Amino acid sequence: MTSDFDKIIERRHTESYKWDTPDRADVLPMWVADMDFRTAPVIIDALRRRVDHGVFGYTHVPDEYYRSVIDWFEKRHGWKIDRSWFIYTSGVVPAISAIIKALTVPGDKVIVTTPVYNCFFSSIRNNGCVATCIPLVQVDGRYEIDFAALETAAADPSAKVMLLCNPHNPGGRVWTHDELIHLADICLRHGVYVVSDEIHCELTYIDGGYTPFGSLPAPYRDNASVCVSPSKAFNIAGLQIANIITPDAEIRRRIDRAININEVCDVNPFGVEATIAAYRHGGEWLESLVEYIHGNYTTIRDFIAKELPALKMMPLESTYLAWIDIRATRMASEELTALLLEREKLMVNPGTMYGADGEGFVRINFACPRSVVIDALNRFKTVLTPIL
């Protein structure tokens, strides 16, 4: 399948959170993690058929929805999901918040490996819990988990849950099977329940792909909930749909209760139709997308190596989010992002948005036409060259 990912699609004045948040029309927004590509044509066709029906009442989630998810993950990732393990909801963040509510009481500790997706912190805080941060360590330029520190944190009787980002945002790691087993073993021995956010799982570049946490052996699988959604891979976050996969029946009952308490138990008909279309017919389009955004990644990597060699870009195994080490500038992350916006109207995320351990980094969303990536890189270079 060929798709025109080079095409510029005007998103300003469409109530786009990404494009219409800046108050100036000349700002280039490369921050919040959605893509500037139209979704797969098969999804658009499915939504058009649903629109043509013209009635949009309360939605029943059909068996085909569950079967499409089950078949997709078994065929592409070797993960066999039982139909009874599902809880659907409006998004991965509401899912994570509901799981924390279900399994903790205020004052409990929730373990995270930092830097990490910023909404983890708000989900922990909003449930009255306390984040225990385990800083990731850099080995040969990429992040690894400090398992000794994790062992210590998990041994704390107040630690009840660990939030895992697999693949990792913002560092782009795809955790290996052995790493996941090590993490799962520590958490199981200490009675810490794992919640694995796998929303970026389809955007993977390395041979062998990612390992779903739910595909681990039963003792580990049963001590975890996995949150998945087609929203990142198919650029349909606005349709608000996700799944929590929980093998343990009692924990699933508690999560389902929390989902209802939080009033995020209903989904809209477009999310259901889009999920079925994506998982039934979107594979070819997705493969083309991943090839294209990997080309964007290598474009950024090679540009920085040539034009700004004092900076370092973390090697990416997944996601469309460049994680760039800017410590050579001797500027704080928020200071540099403010300067980029002021001087070149380039909007990126400061590393500290992902916890204190993100200081010295910026995150750039490169899920856009390559000409836009090149524009952003030239703006980046204009600001950085006098500093370095």
Side-chain angles (χ1 to χ4, degrees):
M1 171 180 286
T2 59
S3 294
D4 189 4
F5 296 115
D6 285 319
K7 183 177 181 179
I8 303 292
I9 299 170
E10 181 57 64
R11 297 188 64 194
R12 289 186 178 90
H13 311 302
T14 63
E15 305 307 326
S16 162
Y17 182 67
K18 178 180 180 181
W19 282 86
D20 289 329
T21 294
D23 57 8
R24 296 183 50 155
D26 57 352
V27 170
L28 179 58
M30 301 188 74
W31 59 304
V32 67
D34 72 6
M35 299 191 288
D36 291 333
F37 309 122
R38 284 196 175 99
T39 191
V42 292
I43 294 177
I44 296 171
D45 291 343
L47 295 178
R48 185 175 289 116
R49 288 192 297 271
R50 189 65 182 83
V51 167
D52 286 345
H53 181 261
V55 180
F56 312 114
Y58 297 116
T59 297
H60 170 72
V61 177
D63 288 341
E64 176 61 11
Y65 173 89
Y66 299 101
R67 179 49 53 192
S68 69
V69 180
I70 290 168
D71 289 349
W72 176 272
F73 279 96
E74 183 170 3
K75 290 175 182 176
R76 293 184 74 95
H77 305 297
W79 178 22
K80 296 183 178 181
I81 305 172
D82 190 276
R83 164 68 178 79
S84 67
W85 298 350
F86 279 75
I87 301 172
Y88 58 77
T89 186
S90 58
V92 166
V93 173
I96 291 168
S97 291
I99 297 169
I100 294 172
K101 179 184 287 293
L103 302 180
T104 67
V105 296
D108 282 346
K109 294 178 181 178
V110 177
I111 300 169
V112 292
T113 55
T114 53
V116 76
Y117 178 44
N118 54 295
C119 286
F120 280 10
F121 298 106
S122 57
S123 292
I124 294 167
R125 183 175 60 251
N126 291 343
N127 282 287
C129 294
V130 179
T132 297
C133 297
I134 306 298
L136 294 168
V137 294
Q138 287 193 59
V139 178
D140 296 328
R142 71 175 193 162
Y143 283 135
E144 293 191 2
I145 298 168
D146 184 340
F147 288 109
L150 176 58
E151 184 89 45
T152 299
D156 184 338
S158 297
K160 304 299 183 183
V161 169
M162 177 175 184
L163 302 184
L164 175 68
C165 208
N166 174 43
H168 184 259
N169 171 17
R173 271 301 314 277
V174 177
W175 307 115
T176 66
H177 181 271
D178 288 348
E179 287 172 315
L180 293 177
I181 289 287
H182 196 171
L183 181 152
D185 182 67
I186 290 171
C187 289
L188 183 63
R189 283 190 287 104
H190 292 292
V192 173
Y193 191 81
V194 178
V195 181
S196 188
D197 171 1
E198 304 193 356
I199 199 169
H200 290 278
C201 68
E202 306 302 342
L203 304 172
T204 299
Y205 314 132
I206 59 173
D207 291 341
Y210 98 114
T211 300
F213 200 95
S215 69
L216 299 183
Y220 305 133
R221 177 200 71 193
D222 295 345
N223 188 50
S225 287
V226 177
C227 302
V228 293
S229 172
S231 60
K232 292 298 181 196
F234 292 94
N235 204 28
I236 54 172
L239 301 185
Q240 296 188 318
I241 196 160
N243 295 294
I244 306 169
I245 310 298
T246 306
D248 185 281
E250 172 56 22
I251 291 178
R252 190 168 62 248
R253 183 195 66 78
R254 293 165 65 183
I255 294 171
D256 186 62
R257 176 62 180 153
I259 287 283
N260 281 270
I261 290 171
N262 284 0
E263 303 290 1
V264 287
C265 52
D266 293 318
V267 292
N268 73 69
F270 301 110
V272 173
E273 294 294 337
T275 298
I276 295 170
Y279 288 153
R280 282 296 185 218
H281 309 294
E284 236 187 303
W285 180 89
L286 178 64
E287 289 161 11
S288 297
L289 169 74
V290 171
E291 181 180 1
Y292 188 88
I293 60 175
H294 184 261
N296 281 353
Y297 158 57
T298 58
T299 297
I300 298 171
R301 181 196 64 193
D302 295 347
F303 182 95
I304 289 176
K306 180 181 178 182
E307 304 293 341
L308 298 166
L311 305 185
K312 304 296 178 186
M313 180 179 180
M314 188 162 285
L316 290 187
E317 298 169 346
S318 182
T319 83
Y320 48 71
L321 306 166
W323 189 239
I324 300 175
D325 185 338
I326 52 93
R327 286 175 288 185
T329 66
R330 299 174 296 281
M331 297 179 68
S333 297
E334 292 191 9
E335 182 184 5
L336 180 57
T337 55
L339 191 65
L340 289 167
L341 185 58
E342 175 191 348
R343 293 191 179 175
E344 283 295 317
K345 310 303 180 291
L346 178 62
M347 188 176 183
V348 303
N349 294 120
T352 46
M353 187 173 179
Y354 310 98
D357 295 303
E359 182 58 89
F361 290 82
V362 297
R363 194 191 80 165
I364 301 178
N365 172 0
F366 57 83
C368 55
R370 196 152 300 149
S371 62
V372 178
V373 171
I374 293 168
D375 181 8
L377 288 171
N378 287 326
R379 297 185 193 206
F380 196 66
K381 178 183 174 182
T382 298
V383 174
L384 271 291
T385 298
I387 298 171
L388 295 170

